[in-house]
Amino acid sequence: MRKHHLLGLAMATLATATGLTATATPAAAAPEVVHVDNTGYFACSDDNDGSTQFPVCTIAAGMARAAGSRELVIEGTFDERLTVTRSGTPGAPFRIWGAGRLIGPRAGVTVDGQHDVEIRHLRTEAHSGPSVTVSNSTRIALNTISVASQDGPGVQFTSVSDSTLGDVRVEGLSSPGISLDAATSGVTVTAARVFTNSPGNDVGIQVLGSGNTITRSQVIGARKAAVLLGAGATGNVVSASSFTSMLRDTVTIDNAGATGTAITNNSLSGTCLTLVRVSGNSSGVSVQNNAVSVRAGGGCDLSRSVGIGVYDAAVSGTTVDYNTVTAASGARPYAWTTPVLTLAAFRAASGQGAHDSDSTSPSVNLDSANSAAPGFPARDYWNHGQQDNPGAPNTGVGPISYGDRGSYEDVRGPNPQLTLSTPDGGTTVRADAGGSTPGWAAIASYTFRFDDGHEFTQAGPTYSHMFWGRRSNLWVNVVVTDVSGTTSETSVTIQPGDGYSPLGPVRVLDTRERIGVGTTTPIAPGGVASLRVTGGNGVPTTGVTAVTMNVTVTAPTSSGFLTVEGQGGWARDATSNLNWVAGQTVPNLVVVEVVNGVVDFRNRSDGTVHVVADLVGYHSIETASRFRPTGPVRVLDTRETPGRTPVAPGGTVLLPVAGVGTVPAGVTAVTLNVTATEPTNHGFLTVYPDGRPRPNASSLNWTPGLTVPNLVVVPVVNGKVAFHNTSPGTVHVVADLVGYHTAGVGAAFHTASATRVLDTRAAVGSSGTKPIAPNSFIDLSVDWLVPSAGPISGVVLNVTVTEPTGYGFLTVYPATAPVRPNASNLNWRPGQTVPNLVIVPSGTNTVRLFNSSPGTVHVVADLYGYYTG
């Protein structure tokens, strides 16, 4: 209801940015929709034009502005009476709505001499007189309003025709709650709820006119009658209503001299009262299909209790049939001029009630009503249509042989099922309710509701809708309706996730060279370097949820670790991306959530450290490149080439990947776990797309004799990836394919704030604090990840091995894999701490970490995101 406030806030931001203020010269003409708003969201003034950003402050000013408008929106609280001075046209009413509250001595609503007006979603409480008065008017609709009065009727209709009261709540001291005078006709009161507690409140709903309908309604607290149909009233209907626990000596439905009344399909119960009374000069009254129960309790003299009573001249021409009337011992189920004690006695005295029942079994009401009775309702109290209960015989008569007695139709609605998918990469959600099953009636339609306000009803069970600028927690509701009008609904939330756009690699941070920061000073102990990653280097300004970077620490003066997180992230000491010892150069790929367009690099050590970051891509919902996890599968190993030839100093190896094996020809990027081994000198490896200039970036750094792994995400150009050895010595290169990105169908990425999910040293994700034994494994469950995102197809973990007692390597793979892959994710030597980013298919939501080593090793894993689809 406050969508225009969002627009207003945006406008306010614009005004601030441009030096404007929220005052405006009144426009020449009122807008189509006039806004009255004293909530403070906008600077209101009765001199404003009534537009969204420039509302008026008072209802009177709004109504004056609305002379040429089609809607008046009221928001705020007002001690003011809404006096409607504007009409609409048939089929195009003048609408008044909002979240307005009219409370105080002057509050209320007055409609006089108007037509085609709709008022909805308002609350009014008058301190004196009627709260809502409608007079000399036609085609007036009051919908979903709340009314209270401290002195007088809640809603008073005088000389009103062809109008509706829908879902109106009347409370407080209103007396009567709703009043339809003798000149009011053709008014339908639907789903009224009258809760009154005034000592002088005699009547809940008073009907003195003709041709009116009270249906699906409820009254609590009236002292004389819940519904009173007065003398002179003709042709009115009271149906599908429920009245329980009325006050003592009350008449629930009192037909006091009205003629031609239909009292049909109501549920009535209570003690020390008459539930249906037809008296005076009433004639032509029909009392059918009602479920009436006279209860005991409360020290009541049950001889004063009557279920259905017909008195005076009304015994001539009143029809009583197809009711179920039960009475506690001592109560009178019927009266025909005088009370009688049994159904048989009533039949003998009246000749009525041939199809009435006194059974206390609820089944007697099923499929046994007279659907030809005057006023037979199309909908029950809960707005259900009639349904055929297959377990009950159809003993009813009329055009519908399976209508139930009372106000509640026994129904079995559809069983709704809803699944969501994102076939285009996340911007469009496909809702599928095809798994829904019918109840006792066939499914007729599906209504899909989306939390951005879009709604659509159709006969088919599938529907697609695009969420603009949204990437997570997309809420979809489906309402399944059967041919009887019975509805059932269910809701599902989905996180469609993001696509990936490969870049570079391009250097975006180097604290040694004043790249990305304003100094060449290393990051201080406990210090933070903040890097804006959006709005440059091919990364858009908005819509970016995560970036992928190869991060290298160098020249550390003491041992420590680096945490990379979105700006202001909470991870702090809980997670690590890179670990080092003094003097070591360590690279690692990082997938990190972007907050406010910024990523923080936090030095968790007692010494200083320089940090280098090369951007290789970003995630956003607007990009359609999706990930397909594949492995790991070994695709390059220079140790297995003829002659076991390493990459020469300054040499480059080209690896064809597009159209090779499971990788399609249209691949946009590949993800490889690259390992440099047996290097003969210091150096680094640059992995980049073939056909592009070699960037100033490093993917792996090493020292002589060291084996170093690192995950690499690299764009594919010409179908190939290049590996360049920037070193004066030789090096062997091993590459394991773990997945690829391509346009079209694939897995969507869901970024997550870093979360520690495994630490064998601290029994996090493990049953104890023991390291992984030689040639053994530990399984990590990821079942706890968001189930509404759909099946989890892969996880992104930063895995760190520490305290190894021998040389070895770790293989991370799906626990369901039939054979452990011939691949390594981390390699180490005794005593070394090594981190590496791992993207692994999760199989049955379980990841296996295998220690291929003759020694033990502790393993730590931090979750940075996951894939679905």
Side-chain angles (χ1 to χ4, degrees), residues 77-82 101-110 124-132 148-151:
T77 301
F78 305 84
D79 179 11
E80 186 178 357
R81 197 163 189 90
L82 166 62
R101 293 165 52 90
L102 284 59
I103 300 176
R106 295 173 292 179
V109 177
T110 296
T124 175
E125 181 178 328
H127 287 187
S128 62
S131 189
V132 176
S149 176
Q150 295 186 12
D151 177 20

Side-chain angles (χ1 to χ4, degrees), residues 553 556-562 578-586 602-605 607-609 833:
V553 294
T557 58
S558 69
S559 299
F561 64 93
L562 189 77
L578 294 95
N579 301 67
W580 63 79
V581 295
Q584 187 180 20
T585 296
V586 180
R602 188 175 300 272
N603 173 18
R604 309 303 299 179
S605 82
T608 63
V609 67
T833 296

Side-chain angles (χ1 to χ4, degrees), residues 418-422 429-432 450 474-476 492-494:
L418 180 63
T419 60
L420 306 180
S421 58
T422 54
V429 171
R430 183 178 185 269
D432 187 348
F450 300 83
L474 307 184
W475 176 88
V476 183
V492 176
T493 300
I494 188 173

Side-chain angles (χ1 to χ4, degrees), residues 6-24:
L6 299 177
L7 173 61
L9 291 174
M11 292 297 295
T13 301
L14 176 61
T16 302
T18 57
L20 300 176
T21 60
T23 58

Side-chain angles (χ1 to χ4, degrees), residues 369-698:
N370 175 16
S371 62
F376 183 75
R379 318 291 294 175
D380 78 345
Y381 181 84
W382 297 117
N383 203 28
H384 298 145
Q386 284 74 34
Q387 282 193 6
D388 187 1
N389 184 329
N394 293 344
T395 59
V397 296
I400 301 175
S401 63
Y402 49 81
D404 293 349
R405 301 183 188 193
S407 61
Y408 307 107
E409 179 75 13
D410 192 27
V411 300
R412 180 169 297 173
N415 178 24
Q417 300 293 320
L418 180 63
T419 60
L420 306 180
S421 58
T422 54
D424 73 341
T427 57
T428 297
V429 171
R430 183 178 185 269
D432 187 348
S436 304
T437 55
W440 289 339
I443 294 174
S445 67
Y446 302 83
T447 299
F448 296 93
R449 297 169 177 166
F450 300 83
D451 68 350
D452 61 357
H454 183 75
E455 180 175 323
F456 193 78
T457 300
Q458 63 181 29
T462 61
Y463 185 76
S464 294
H465 172 64
M466 179 177 289
F467 284 85
W468 289 99
R470 296 277 303 281
R471 61 167 293 273
S472 63
N473 296 324
L474 307 184
W475 176 88
V476 183
N477 169 267
V478 65
V479 179
V480 184
T481 305
D482 65 23
V483 294
S484 75
T486 302
T487 62
S488 300
E489 61 184 275
T490 188
S491 301
V492 176
T493 300
I494 188 173
Q495 295 185 354
D498 307 315
Y500 180 75
S501 293
L503 297 170
V506 57
R507 183 142 295 175
V508 291
L509 173 69
D510 191 338
T511 57
R512 304 167 304 179
E513 302 291 338
R514 199 181 283 118
I515 297 174
V517 290
T519 178
T520 58
T521 303
I523 303 176
V528 177
S530 293
L531 174 68
R532 176 161 295 280
V533 293
T534 59
N537 299 305
V539 182
T541 303
T542 60
V544 176
T545 58
V547 290
T548 301
M549 297 180 291
N550 197 70
V551 179
T552 304
V553 294
T554 191
T557 58
S558 69
S559 299
F561 64 93
L562 189 77
T563 297
V564 187
E565 57 193 341
Q567 186 181 47
W570 57 269
R572 303 298 186 260
D573 291 331
T575 61
S576 65
N577 296 93
L578 294 95
N579 301 67
W580 63 79
V581 295
Q584 187 180 20
T585 296
V586 180
N588 199 15
L589 193 71
V590 170
V591 178
V592 59
E593 182 181 22
V594 174
V595 178
N596 301 323
V598 174
V599 170
D600 287 345
F601 299 78
R602 188 175 300 272
N603 173 18
R604 309 303 299 179
S605 82
D606 295 329
T608 63
V609 67
H610 279 294
V611 178
V612 180
D614 298 319
L615 179 71
V616 297
Y618 66 89
H619 295 271
S620 74
I621 196 169
E622 286 77 15
T623 53
S625 181
R626 313 295 274 182
F627 184 66
R628 297 296 298 269
T630 60
V633 177
R634 184 140 296 175
V635 291
L636 174 66
D637 191 340
T638 58
R639 300 170 305 179
E640 302 298 326
T641 59
R644 200 176 181 274
T645 306
V647 184
T652 300
V653 173
L654 296 180
L655 175 66
V657 290
V660 178
T662 61
V663 180
V667 66
T668 59
V670 290
T671 300
L672 305 165
N673 195 72
V674 180
T675 303
T677 188
E678 302 178 26
T680 59
N681 207 327
H682 293 270
F684 64 90
L685 192 75
T686 301
V687 186
Y688 63 100
D690 177 48
R692 289 185 182 173
R694 186 174 76 253
N696 177 29
S698 62

